Amino acid sequence: MKVAYWPGCVSRGFTAELHGSMAAVAPMLEIELVELDRASCCGAGVIAEHSQELADTLNARTFALAQQEITQGADLMMNICSTCQGAQNECQQRLDASAEYRAQINETLSDEGLEYQDGIINKNFLWVLVEEIGLEKLRSLVRRPLTDLRVGPFYGCYIVRPTDRLDINRAQPRDEYLGQVIETLGGTVIDYAGSHKCCGFPIITMNKEASLEQAGRHLADATDAQADCLVTPCPLCHLNLDLQQPMAAKQVGRELNMPVLHLPQLVGLALGLSPKELGLAHHIVKPTAVIDWSQAVVGGVGGW
Amino acid sequence: MAEFKLKIRRYDPESGSAPYWDEHTVELEPHRSVLEGILQARNENDGSIGVRCSCRAAICGSCGVRVNGKPGLACHTHLGAALESAGEDGVIEVEPMGNMPIIKDLIVDMDAVHWKKIQRVTPWLIGKQPVPEREYIVSRESMIDVTQSMACIQCGACVSDCLSMEVDPLFVGPAALAKAYRFVGDPRDGAHEQRLKDLSEDKHGIYDCTHCFKCIEACPKGVAPMNQIMRLRRIAGNDFQIKDRNNGERHEAAFVSNIERNGILHEADLLPDSYGGKFHPRAVPELISSLPIVVTALLRRKMTLGKALLHPHTAPDGVKRIFEVVEGREERNEFNLYISGTDAEAEASPEVAAAIEAAEPAGVAPEGTEGSSG
Ligand code: SF4
Ligand code: SF4
Ligand code: SF4
Ligand code: SF4
Ligand code: FES
């Protein structure tokens, strides 16, 4: 399949290994990525907090750029960030709700010759994996099952709430997809208190203690549940859970050392890519448990 | 009639023993409520089950509990629906709400947490001066807007699940902040600025919300407390230019101008800018405290020095233009789904749409004919 691909900002900045691992994994899943490189940040909820219209217009522009790719053969728009998913979805809800409002926004876009038509399909890589590629196909592509690897899912708020706007329901349990993917890849899903909670990132500059306390607690809960690592579809969660982990450890007063993987990295490991190819060396918390595991399984192939 | 299995969490702090689960089978129609199930178990099996209720019609707000882990009103949750969200064993789990101390079983201490916080936001109207001779005249839309927060029945479901409160018990919290918006959004109130200043300067005020959507998900009345908090922030920062000591306004401004410059987020600038800029006295200790992480990040080549210091990306002209147009507007264009509804809804009920149109031809009623309320 071909997707109009919105990588987000953080995946090209502080978590470059996410963008890299997505690019490495995509061809193995037969996904062709057409990057929306002229698009702008979704605003992560912060621009909307400042001005709703500004966020709606910026994202309408991104959708319009994606729709140009869709008319040229892309199947849908794909993102790799829970926060992009949620923030863009929130704008889309307003844009799709009213033709009158949409016309006002398109008026601003018309300077650039762009127009957003309602009803774009924009899915996070996690949703694409389960709904477009399908777990059966994914299973058939696994070269190195994640046997004995104990993985805790961490979703990020924006991709699991609010459930009605995100179309999460019994028939489409998008809030269980990470567990399904981990299982399909052969790993063990770890159940722990923080999997669907907030990493605390949005208040890191406003109330640092409370922010780090959140990250620290979830990491500690996962440690107590004996997870080898966490996996997340959200690079912003990754910032608070990995980049800030040393500070979070201080805040909760215990050692953590919990590796946090990006979703494409976990998929890539199971599809046979080496930790190095997937950029695992760039994490703040060394994913030692994961690397040991990969070496035990393939006897050191891949080189670290 | 159908049989339902209820697993109720029991706890009596005075007894000195630990909480435990208690299972009861009740017989009721699937459209009867979880509350009726609990009451049947109490009346027929065990009179000591502690539960609070009154109206049984989703009005009084006293029966807040967690059903299968989700907070809500026991009287407003059908047994049939609860069974659907139950685990594979088909047992409906009923627990007390979170973030508040338990008095007994399903009864939590609302006074100790929820009501204290409501009092914290001065929950009454402080009339705008001069008080008009007759009633205050206000626009219809502004009143519809505040009805969303007025719909709150003080059940505490949002408080139960608030993730900021979980780590910071002092956080003013979703219900109380929704209540604050009820007055900040009310054109008759005369203390908007003081209210906002108070709640921005408080470390546990509007900028302590972590934007987790839990309260939106929890609320049985569609109050969407988080959305009201975002409005409070917008009005505090944009309309009153309140520069709070928690860097809330600064962080927002830094983020917005970061995107305006770069098109995509340049994180290396965001942190120092949120504290007032790289050389601002506030930023220095923050930057020093994050130095070890920066060094590790450089060592792991997570970021390169070039990336941290230079600006590899500039905003496309189209993005700059959007900022010019939208930020240049005299008046905020804020599409409010709660007020306007969706086109699809209007199509589904043309009479309603027509009635609204007829009542208000051009969307703005002439002076003096607008609804007023006292
Ligand atoms: S959520 Fe993050 S990564 Fe996604 S566009 Fe916005 S800032 Fe960038
Ligand atoms: S968990 Fe954190 S980064 Fe992730 S979506 Fe929630 S707030 Fe955002
Ligand atoms: S969005 Fe804010 S107020 Fe609502 S539950 Fe989350 S932290 Fe609490
Ligand atoms: S905002 Fe909603 S959930 Fe919170 S107390 Fe009011 S009615 Fe209950
Ligand atoms: S008993 Fe009154 S709201 Fe449930």
Side-chain angles (χ1 to χ4, degrees):
Chain A
M1 67 185 301
K2 189 163 142 181
V3 299
Y5 170 51
W6 169 239
C9 324
V10 183
S11 74
R12 287 175 285 176
F14 277 8
T15 63
E17 69 278 0
L18 167 58
H19 192 29
S21 57
M22 187 65 239
V25 163
M28 307 179 85
L29 297 168
E30 291 166 26
I31 303 178
E32 187 188 336
L33 304 173
V34 187
E35 196 174 322
L36 297 169
D37 49 8
R38 283 163 58 216
S40 69
C41 173
C42 70
V46 185
I47 292 188
E49 172 188 322
H50 166 76
S51 158
Q52 225 174 249
E53 189 195 358
L54 186 57
D56 291 349
T57 316
L58 291 172
N59 284 309
R61 180 175 174 276
T62 303
F63 297 153
L65 291 168
Q67 281 174 335
Q68 288 186 340
E69 298 303 337
I70 290 171
T71 45
Q72 286 168 38
D75 296 284
L76 43 79
M77 171 174 163
M78 181 178 96
N79 66 75
I80 48 170
C81 170
S82 296
T83 307
C84 295
Q85 179 72 56
Q88 290 177 333
N89 191 267
E90 186 178 329
C91 296
Q92 186 182 351
Q93 185 187 35
R94 284 189 290 265
L95 291 164
D96 286 0
S98 153
E100 191 187 330
Y101 181 59
R102 202 161 52 245
Q104 292 164 9
I105 300 292
N106 276 330
E107 167 75 41
T108 314
L109 296 185
S110 66
D111 290 351
E112 224 185 329
L114 289 171
E115 185 186 348
Y116 168 61
Q117 272 147 11
D118 57 324
I120 190 169
I121 297 172
N122 173 26
K123 292 188 180 187
N124 184 276
F125 176 51
L126 176 62
W127 296 358
V128 169
L129 269 181
V130 178
E131 294 166 10
E132 305 293 326
I133 293 169
L135 296 176
E136 278 318 304
K137 169 106 188 274
L138 182 61
R139 199 187 318 271
S140 73
L141 293 171
V142 172
R143 293 287 162 270
R144 181 169 52 189
L146 304 179
T147 319
D148 297 333
L149 192 68
R150 299 168 57 86
V151 189
F154 192 92
Y155 287 84
C157 326
Y158 276 84
I159 205 171
V160 289
R161 282 180 296 274
T163 45
D164 54 351
R165 198 184 66 215
L166 295 170
D167 282 326
I168 299 174
N169 47 53
R170 274 252 136 160
Q172 194 168 260
R174 289 173 159 174
D175 52 351
E176 293 169 15
Y177 282 1
L178 271 179
Q180 295 178 358
V181 168
I182 296 167
E183 260 170 23
T184 305
L185 300 178
T188 306
V189 185
I190 296 299
D191 198 10
Y192 69 107
S195 58
H196 293 69
K197 291 189 178 175
C198 179
C199 69
F201 182 74
I203 51 170
I204 187 80
T205 53
M206 280 93 91
N207 188 341
K208 199 168 175 183
E209 296 82 34
S211 172
L212 294 173
E213 184 77 31
Q214 302 194 49
R217 262 193 213 188
H218 308 328
L219 291 161
D221 283 344
T223 308
D224 292 342
Q226 294 173 332
D228 292 322
C229 64
L230 298 185
V231 64
T232 180
C234 181
L236 293 181
C237 301
H238 199 269
L239 291 181
N240 234 32
L241 297 174
D242 178 65
L243 185 72
Q244 300 277 14
Q245 194 175 124
M247 309 258 261
K250 258 189 219 152
Q251 175 70 30
V252 294
R254 63 181 275 188
E255 268 195 47
L256 292 171
N257 290 324
M258 175 60 63
V260 186
L261 270 57
H262 301 285
L263 180 58
Q265 289 179 325
L266 191 79
V267 175
L269 277 177
L271 298 191
L273 294 172
S274 72
K276 198 172 178 180
E277 286 169 287
L278 294 164
L280 281 168
H282 297 310
H283 293 193
I284 294 297
V285 179
K286 277 202 169 158
T288 317
V290 180
I291 290 152
D292 287 353
W293 167 86
S294 74
Q295 286 172 345
V297 177
V298 297
V301 184
W304 183 246
Chain B
M1 284 296 177
E3 274 197 356
F4 293 94
K5 286 203 193 76
L6 294 182
K7 202 164 97 179
I8 301 176
R9 194 167 166 87
R10 308 291 304 272
Y11 179 48
D12 181 0
E14 280 172 20
S15 73
S17 32
Y20 61 98
W21 290 98
D22 193 11
E23 223 176 279
H24 296 276
T25 305
V26 296
E27 255 188 54
L28 280 165
E29 302 280 356
H31 68 270
R32 306 312 285 264
S33 70
V34 171
L35 177 63
E36 283 171 289
I38 301 168
L39 294 177
Q40 189 180 91
R42 190 183 69 180
N43 296 343
E44 292 174 12
N45 308 350
D46 181 351
S48 73
I49 298 174
V51 60
R52 181 165 43 204
C53 66
S54 174
C55 70
R56 305 190 194 184
I59 294 167
C60 72
S62 50
C63 66
V65 292
R66 275 179 171 155
V67 178
N68 299 323
K70 289 201 166 155
L73 302 171
C75 73
H76 196 50
T77 311
H78 291 167
L79 283 163
L83 184 60
E84 263 179 38
S85 67
E88 277 161 21
D89 56 359
V91 179
I92 300 168
E93 279 182 14
V94 190
E95 295 168 87
M97 292 192 292
N99 281 337
M100 285 173 275
I102 294 171
I103 297 177
K104 184 169 186 302
D105 301 334
L106 302 176
I107 307 173
V108 297
D109 193 344
M110 300 276 286
D111 288 336
V113 181
H114 175 73
W115 290 110
K116 249 195 203 144
K117 292 180 187 294
I118 294 285
Q119 282 164 19
R120 160 75 184 75
V121 301
T122 322
W124 57 82
L125 194 95
I126 299 173
K128 198 182 208 160
Q129 300 299 330
V131 178
E133 252 172 63
R134 296 185 50 192
E135 64 271 45
Y136 288 97
I137 309 287
V138 299
S139 81
R140 182 175 157 276
E141 289 207 341
S142 65
M143 286 328 278
I144 299 184
D145 178 33
V146 290
T147 55
Q148 190 175 13
S149 44
M150 283 157 81
C152 172
I153 56 167
Q154 313 294 347
C155 67
C158 55
V159 173
S160 158
D161 263 28
C162 174
L163 292 181
S164 273
M165 213 183 277
E166 191 174 281
V167 292
D168 178 12
L170 294 176
F171 177 41
V172 176
L177 290 174
K179 179 61 77 189
Y181 181 74
R182 187 250 163 278
F183 298 106
V184 169
D186 191 323
R188 298 167 302 170
D189 187 88
H192 295 170
E193 187 168 6
Q194 291 95 312
R195 289 178 190 275
L196 288 166
K197 198 148 178 64
D198 172 34
L199 291 170
S200 333
E201 292 288 12
D202 189 334
K203 184 170 185 188
H204 314 281
I206 49 176
Y207 291 111
D208 201 16
C209 160
T210 188
H211 205 285
C212 71
F213 299 91
K214 272 272 188 184
C215 51
I216 298 187
E217 197 64 19
C219 179
K221 291 286 163 183
V223 172
M226 186 188 95
N227 293 352
Q228 316 307 337
I229 298 172
M230 294 308 132
R231 292 208 174 110
L232 290 171
R233 289 186 184 179
R234 203 175 295 147
I235 301 172
N238 294 357
D239 298 357
F240 292 104
Q241 275 105 37
I242 297 170
K243 306 232 179 296
D244 58 289
R245 67 183 115 179
N246 305 307
N247 308 307
E249 188 274 339
R250 243 178 244 108
H251 172 71
E252 184 193 294
F255 194 106
V256 174
S257 68
N258 194 307
I259 308 302
E260 184 170 10
R261 277 198 312 273
N262 308 316
I264 60 174
L265 185 68
H266 186 69
E267 310 100 318
D269 281 353
L270 182 63
L271 185 67
D273 285 352
S274 296
Y275 292 103
K278 280 193 188 89
F279 305 107
H280 193 283
R282 234 185 244 272
V284 175
E286 281 307 322
L287 292 179
I288 290 175
S289 80
S290 56
L291 211 56
I293 290 183
V294 174
V295 172
T296 322
L298 288 172
L299 285 176
R300 302 269 155 84
R301 274 181 283 152
K302 187 174 207 26
M303 44 172 135
T304 58
L305 261 183
K307 234 187 215 169
L309 300 174
L310 305 170
H311 292 255
H313 201 277
T314 48
D317 290 340
V319 171
K320 292 201 170 119
R321 176 90 189 112
I322 291 174
F323 272 85
E324 270 167 35
V325 173
V326 178
E327 295 285 82
R329 291 211 199 290
E330 301 253 311
E331 236 175 84
R332 196 160 46 227
N333 175 12
E334 194 172 314
F335 179 69
N336 188 334
L337 265 175
Y338 186 79
I339 298 178
S340 4
T342 66
D343 289 349
E345 286 161 3
E347 258 168 52
S349 56
E351 320 79 51
V352 179
I356 293 175
E357 279 285 307
E360 217 178 354
V364 198
E367 276 263 288
T369 61
E370 290 165 319
S372 61
S373 87

